[in-house]
Amino acid sequence: MRSLKLFLYIILSACIMWEITIIFGPALITKLTEYYSNGRVVLTDVNVSPRFDVSIGEIDMFSINDENGLQSKSTARAVTIKLMKFFSAPSVEISTGFADVLGFGSIRSFQLFLKFKNFYDLSTAKLEFKGNHVDLSKSVLVKELFGNAQI
């Protein structure tokens, strides 16, 4: 009977921690990002799903030009971070909608995949990326940009 109670308490604790992460995770992610970036990265409309997928409505990144002190702003909209196949062959998918980087250009959508062989050996990561409608400095338009790499 004691082992059953212990098992049920462990299950209950895991469920409570899961719910706390879903409820307080967005505020924690927002505050930690602002703190560690010294206020230069601002997240808006952060949500954490029950599968621990993170969706961010908008990311604003501010940088200061050292020469004349002007501040520039870069924006990414509809950013999602998904964790998939966590124990067998973990992978992370990061995707964004429209992104605008001042001075470099804009991109309509972008996807980045990180794939690992197993949970215990994260050094053999494969990186794949795909971007659509890349406009570089208003002079070069690339309809599709893709590639992969071994890290």
Side-chain angles (χ1 to χ4, degrees):
M1 188 67 171
R2 287 184 180 175
S3 61
L4 180 61
K5 277 187 176 181
L6 177 66
F7 178 71
L8 291 175
Y9 279 125
I10 291 171
I11 297 281
L12 178 63
S13 299
C15 290
I16 290 172
M17 288 175 32
W18 183 18
E19 187 64 28
I20 287 172
T21 303
I22 292 171
I23 292 172
F24 296 110
L28 183 64
I29 290 170
T30 302
K31 295 295 182 192
L32 286 174
T33 302
E34 288 180 15
Y35 176 76
Y36 283 111
S37 69
N38 294 327
R40 291 187 179 177
V41 178
V42 178
L43 306 179
T44 307
D45 192 25
V46 178
N47 294 313
V48 177
S49 76
R51 294 187 62 197
F52 295 118
D53 296 340
V54 178
S55 64
I56 304 167
E58 184 174 0
I59 300 176
D60 293 320
M61 297 161 280
F62 300 96
S63 62
I64 297 173
N65 187 348
D66 292 335
E67 295 174 4
N68 50 16
L70 294 176
Q71 190 175 29
S72 64
K73 177 182 174 184
S74 302
T75 304
R77 292 195 170 98
V79 177
T80 58
I81 303 169
K82 294 182 181 181
L83 303 172
M84 300 175 282
K85 299 180 191 174
F86 190 68
F87 290 108
S88 61
S91 63
V92 178
E93 176 187 344
I94 301 171
S95 62
T96 181
F98 179 77
D100 184 30
V101 180
L102 238 55
F104 292 108
S106 64
I107 189 166
R108 187 173 292 164
S109 67
F110 185 77
Q111 292 178 321
L112 178 80
F113 298 98
L114 281 169
K115 298 178 183 180
F116 305 97
K117 283 189 178 179
N118 58 36
F119 182 72
Y120 303 105
D121 185 16
L122 301 179
S123 64
T124 58
K126 290 185 178 179
L127 173 71
E128 297 178 7
F129 61 90
K130 180 181 179 184
N132 292 321
H133 200 80
V134 181
D135 189 4
L136 301 173
S137 299
K138 309 296 183 208
S139 60
V140 177
L141 178 64
V142 180
K143 282 193 168 189
E144 187 171 82
L145 177 69
F146 58 91
N148 56 24
Q150 181 80 27
I151 298 176

